Amino acid sequence: MSNIAAARQVLAAAAEQSGVPADGATLIRDGSNTLYSLPYGVVARVSRPGGRAVAEREVRIARWLANSGVPVVRPVLETQPTVIGDRAVTWWEQFPPHREASPAELGAVLRQLHALPVPGDLGLAEFDPFDELTSNIAVAGNWLPTKDRAWLQDLIRRLRANYAHLSAWRPSCVLHGDAWQGNVAVPEHGPPMLLDLEQVGIGDPVWDLAPLAVDYADFSRVSTEEYGAFTDAYGADITTWSGFRTVATICELRWTAFVLSKADGANRATTEARHRVACLRGEVARPWSWSAF
């Protein structure tokens, strides 16, 4: 059974258990969670197997952010999540029509988030930029050439050593963990709102600023004017920090490893993964062009 078919069965059982109307549910996205649009302005997020703890934490974080004055997606039921077997379903308000944030809006939201006192009761983990890198690369072992796999593993070792010797850019704070423009929704009327809270944790704020900075520095997906608006809104520019190149390469390796985990040797992800590895090896000149996944 496909994940989408299994998720729909879980959704039906959870809707019956919780009393949420789910007739006519339509699929929004099948990613780390499977998202459905339901009647009456509700969105259901069906976790992957074993996702209960993450779902519980995400609901706690959303309520804490709302109580802290940060506009955020809101859960609609007091008792969450609804657990079916080894999967969890959470229920959220559906946003009105919206667009993704501009760089300036993203910078302003991150400045507000990073200024919050670090809570001690949400079970937030320390952000680990090397999390899952080795395992995602290992998944590609059946098709990735041995020399490339060995080079990537050596790159991880070198980056770990470099990162261990870096001084922190700023003191630890609450991080979004996946801070890009698409995870801040801007409705027609109202302030920008944070989405996708699964990776919220604690760490150096540089990790929330790096994705847009890398887009600007290495991909030219962000103009000089847009990046200037981002840094003005946040109040700092990490590209001038001595550790930026190490952080940028870690980000790019994380993005490459994600695509490697989806590649099978013959699909579109395989072609993209090979291109990304070639870029990291210095075989392609910057600015790079990578396809979204």
Side-chain angles (χ1 to χ4, degrees), residues 197-220:
L197 307 175
E198 283 186 69
Q199 297 184 47
V200 171
I202 299 172
D204 192 321
V206 72
W207 293 109
D208 274 352
L209 305 182
L212 197 89
V214 173
D215 272 351
Y216 166 67
D218 288 356
F219 293 87
S220 296

Side-chain angles (χ1 to χ4, degrees), residues 137 145-158 249 253 276-282:
I137 292 169
T146 300
K147 63 180 180 62
D148 285 335
R149 193 162 58 252
W151 185 86
L152 288 169
Q153 298 290 5
D154 182 64
L155 178 60
I156 293 174
R157 287 191 290 271
R158 287 185 280 123
T249 305
L253 182 57
R276 295 188 183 194
V277 171
C279 290
L280 292 175
R281 290 179 69 99

